[in-house]
């Protein structure tokens, strides 16, 4: 009952704050927030990303640089999957081919209904360092990860998805970062997009570099990440044990475990040199399902933590919380602006509530476009050594402001109320996601 009251309060604030703002001030102030919030965030992401690069990243050794290859003991790579027979063999072979010698791979078949079981059994007979766990029924990714972690024999556990291809040195970079300090609980890697056969796929190439990569670097500057990447992250077993591993009732176990670790004052880092090539949706339906899941996961974590996160002991997470709440408020502010604009054609509204346009003025639109290009240029400067052909995606970045913020709006409007008003959470089980139309190897 308390959770439902908290949920109602959050939703009321999210819906009512922009409306109250329009009443107290003017609709112009509301529209200024709608138009300039993306501009402000772009500047923040560029500044944070460049700061991360200037302070640390540009001086880090990279492939070909003379450097030692320390051995930190046995490392376990966990590969949970459900109906991934088409891709998972490549994933397992790439994990086994790491240039880190002391490694074991545990593949977890979470109740797959394709030929994953037969494939795993064949591969385990061919590779001594591969172990297999078969779950009879689909228990969800979090449970599959739990089972794999309990079976692991190492202190360092690298978790990847069933379609992920680790770069040969990815495990080494992840474990080097974990071993550098005892208070580091997790290190997340740098996913790169393989699927580029459609406009949707190509837009995501720029998105993962110019948005997600810059966001993680910016959050790394002030010391807290909103989420590790579920597709490639290394954990310290002791830290996972401290937070009771992954929650089986959260739709995005990666966001949840990140907050659980940081609430316990474990550090979570971003390691851009740990590359992992992944498949992403290339259809509108697949992209929608993926982004709704991400938005719903963020809302679930907000609801789960909101009643306790304001305690002084958690003040190191307040900036993350404010950032997320502002993004939610922006979505509802834009929705309210559209509603007021449409109502203006039907009824006579008070001057303070009149919205004459829901598109940016010409000058504002030009500024947003220029900032978008500057943002992508900054990401190319930072990421060019990880992906040499990244500048080729510059042409497709013109679609970024429309695509990214429109998706953010729609998924927030759909997922946030759904999470806020629903009852007790249930076991989160997964289905086979959209892996793109054309795979690039």
């Amino acid at each position: 009952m308390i959770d439902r009251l908290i949920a109602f309060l959050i939703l009321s604030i999210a819906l009512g704050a922009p409306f109250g703002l329009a009443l107290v001030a003017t609709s112009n102030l509301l529209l200024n927030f709608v138009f300039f919030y993306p501009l402000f965030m772009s500047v923040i992401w560029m500044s944070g990303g460049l700061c991360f690069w200037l302070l640390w990243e540009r001086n880090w050794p990279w492939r070909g640089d003379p450097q030692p290859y320390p051995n930190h003991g046995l490392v376990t790579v966990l590969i949970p999957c459900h109906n991934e027979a088409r891709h998972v063999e490549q994933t397992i072979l790439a994990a086994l081919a790491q240039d880190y010698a002391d490694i074991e791979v545990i593949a977890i078949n979470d109740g797959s209904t394709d030929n994953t079981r037969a494939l795993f059994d064949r591969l385990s007979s061919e590779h001594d360092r591969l172990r297999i766990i078969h779950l009879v029924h689909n228990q969800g990714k979090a449970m599959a990860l739990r089972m794999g972690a309990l079976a692991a024999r190492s202190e360092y556990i690298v978790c990847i998805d069933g379609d992920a291809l680790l770069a040969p040195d990815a495990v080494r970079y992840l474990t080097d970062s974990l071993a550098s300090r005892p208070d580091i609980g997790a290190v997340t890697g740098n996913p790169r997009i393989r699927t580029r056969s459609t406009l949707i796929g190509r837009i995501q190439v720029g998105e993962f570099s110019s948005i997600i990569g810059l966001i993680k670097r910016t959050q790394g500057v002030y010391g807290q990440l909103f989420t590790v990447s579920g597709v490639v992250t290394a954990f310290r077993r002791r830290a996972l044990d401290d937070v009771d591993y992954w929650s089986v009732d959260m739709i995005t176990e990666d966001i949840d475990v990140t907050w659980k670790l940081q609430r316990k004052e474990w550090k979570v880092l971003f390691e851009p040199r740990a590359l992992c090539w992944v498949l992403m949706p290339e259809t509108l339906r697949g992209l929608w399902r993926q982004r709704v899941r991400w938005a719903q996961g963020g809302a679930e974590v907000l609801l789960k933590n909101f009643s306790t996160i304001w305690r002084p002991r958690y003040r190191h997470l307040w900036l993350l919380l404010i950032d997320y709440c502002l993004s939610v408020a922006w979505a509802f502010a834009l929705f309210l602006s559209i509603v007021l604009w449409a109502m203006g054609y039907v009824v006579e509204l008070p001057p303070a509530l009149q919205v004459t346009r829901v598109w940016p003025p010409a000058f504002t639109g030009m500024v947003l476009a220029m900032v978008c290009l500057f943002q992508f240029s900054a990401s190319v400067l930072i990421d060019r050594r990880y992906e040499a052909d990244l500048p080729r995606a510059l042409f497709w970045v013109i679609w970024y402001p429309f695509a990214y913020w429109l998706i953010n709006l729609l998924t927030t409007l759909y997922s946030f109320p759904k999470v806020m008003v629903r009852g007790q959470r249930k076991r989160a089980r997964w289905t086979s996601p959209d892996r793109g139309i054309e795979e690039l190897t």
Side-chain angles (χ1 to χ4, degrees):
M1 184 63 182
I2 294 177
D3 287 344
R4 282 180 171 271
L5 289 174
I6 295 174
F8 178 77
L9 177 62
I10 298 171
L11 184 57
S12 298
I13 292 173
L15 289 170
F19 185 75
L21 183 64
L23 286 175
V24 174
T26 65
S27 59
N28 287 332
L29 187 58
L30 180 69
L31 288 175
N32 284 337
F33 175 64
V34 169
F35 291 149
F36 288 106
Y37 173 74
L39 176 65
F40 174 77
M41 293 309 301
S42 293
V43 173
I44 292 294
W45 296 338
M46 281 190 292
S47 302
L50 289 171
C51 183
F52 184 95
W53 180 73
L54 289 169
L55 290 177
W56 304 296
E57 190 173 355
R58 66 178 179 142
N59 297 318
W60 288 344
W62 182 232
R63 296 172 185 170
D65 297 338
Q67 54 186 312
Y69 292 86
N71 188 311
H72 302 294
L74 180 66
V75 174
T76 302
V77 178
L78 299 185
I79 308 176
C81 68
H82 175 72
N83 292 342
E84 294 283 5
R86 183 180 177 188
H87 316 290
V88 74
E89 182 171 1
Q90 282 183 299
T91 299
I92 291 174
L93 294 179
L96 290 170
Q98 292 294 295
D99 63 11
Y100 190 94
D102 199 5
I103 195 170
E104 69 170 355
V105 176
I106 300 178
I108 306 98
N109 169 27
D110 187 22
S112 298
T113 56
D114 60 3
N115 64 333
T116 298
R117 183 183 186 95
L119 174 64
F120 278 9
D121 291 341
R122 176 178 63 81
L123 290 173
S124 66
S125 66
E126 298 172 357
H127 301 279
D128 295 336
R129 294 182 297 163
L130 174 63
R131 292 195 286 150
I132 303 299
I133 297 176
H134 291 296
L135 302 180
V136 177
H137 302 291
N138 182 353
Q139 298 295 315
K141 184 179 179 181
M143 180 58 73
L145 287 169
R146 275 176 170 256
M147 298 300 293
L150 293 174
R153 297 191 288 253
S154 62
E155 174 64 12
Y156 300 144
I157 300 173
V158 178
C159 303
I160 63 176
D161 280 352
D163 68 309
L165 298 183
L166 287 173
D169 48 9
V171 167
R172 176 166 58 83
Y173 283 123
L174 290 170
T175 54
D176 282 352
S177 297
L178 271 179
S180 63
R181 287 165 45 189
D183 62 337
I184 298 176
V187 178
T188 188
N190 188 358
R192 316 302 296 188
I193 307 302
R194 292 199 273 157
T195 38
R196 309 181 184 188
S197 60
T198 68
L199 177 61
I200 292 175
R202 292 165 187 161
I203 287 177
Q204 290 177 94
V205 175
E207 178 191 12
F208 267 67
S209 177
S210 63
I211 305 174
I212 296 177
L214 290 181
I215 289 175
K216 279 188 164 52
R217 287 176 173 89
T218 301
Q219 293 173 349
V221 169
Y222 60 76
Q224 308 293 330
L225 297 186
F226 183 80
T227 179
V228 299
S229 175
V231 72
V232 53
T233 299
F235 295 93
R236 190 184 302 272
R237 176 192 286 275
R238 184 160 50 89
L240 285 174
D241 188 63
D242 190 31
V243 299
D244 194 27
Y245 297 87
W246 297 269
S247 301
V248 298
D249 59 350
M250 303 294 287
I251 194 170
T252 50
E253 81 296 328
D254 46 0
I255 302 177
D256 179 65
V257 77
T258 307
W259 282 70
K260 287 168 66 175
L261 287 169
Q262 292 175 143
R263 282 173 64 107
K264 288 279 191 173
E265 299 187 358
W266 288 97
K267 296 296 182 182
V268 178
L269 304 183
F270 173 54
E271 174 51 81
R273 295 171 295 177
L275 303 182
C276 182
W277 298 89
V278 299
L279 302 173
M280 295 293 287
E282 288 195 289
T283 64
L284 285 175
R285 182 170 181 263
L287 184 66
W288 171 256
R289 291 176 59 186
Q290 180 196 64
R291 299 312 166 93
V292 164
R293 177 178 171 271
W294 291 1
Q296 184 175 336
E300 286 182 350
V301 170
L302 173 65
L303 177 61
K304 180 179 179 179
N305 291 277
F306 195 83
S307 61
T308 59
I309 201 66
W310 300 109
R311 297 172 185 173
R313 61 178 294 190
Y314 300 128
R315 60 186 178 275
H316 57 288
L317 294 173
W318 290 354
L319 193 57
L320 284 179
L321 185 64
I322 293 171
D323 182 12
Y324 178 76
C325 289
L326 281 175
S327 70
V328 173
W330 175 86
F332 283 103
L334 178 54
F335 175 71
L336 177 61
S337 299
I338 295 172
V339 171
L340 292 175
W341 171 74
M343 287 178 61
Y345 288 92
V346 180
V347 297
E348 184 70 25
L349 295 174
L353 295 181
Q354 291 178 3
V355 176
T356 58
R357 66 169 70 202
V358 290
W359 55 90
F363 177 75
T364 304
M366 182 180 68
V367 170
L368 288 172
M370 291 301 298
V371 169
C372 170
L373 291 176
F374 283 134
Q375 181 177 328
F376 191 81
S377 298
S379 69
V380 169
L381 170 68
I382 295 171
D383 270 352
R384 67 187 187 277
R385 68 174 180 174
Y386 307 125
E387 193 172 348
D389 63 345
L390 186 61
R392 295 181 183 178
L394 183 62
F395 175 78
W396 305 106
V397 82
I398 61 174
W399 296 100
Y400 146 69
F402 174 78
Y404 177 78
W405 292 105
L406 179 61
I407 291 173
N408 186 38
L409 165 68
L410 296 178
T411 55
T412 299
L413 293 178
Y414 178 83
S415 301
F416 198 84
K418 176 182 177 182
V419 172
M420 293 301 107
V421 300
R422 74 174 184 170
Q424 185 177 5
R425 293 190 302 267
K426 300 179 181 179
R427 174 73 62 85
R429 291 179 170 86
W430 53 357
T431 57
S432 299
D434 181 351
R435 297 302 192 191
I437 297 172
E438 178 183 324
E439 300 167 33
L440 302 180
T441 58

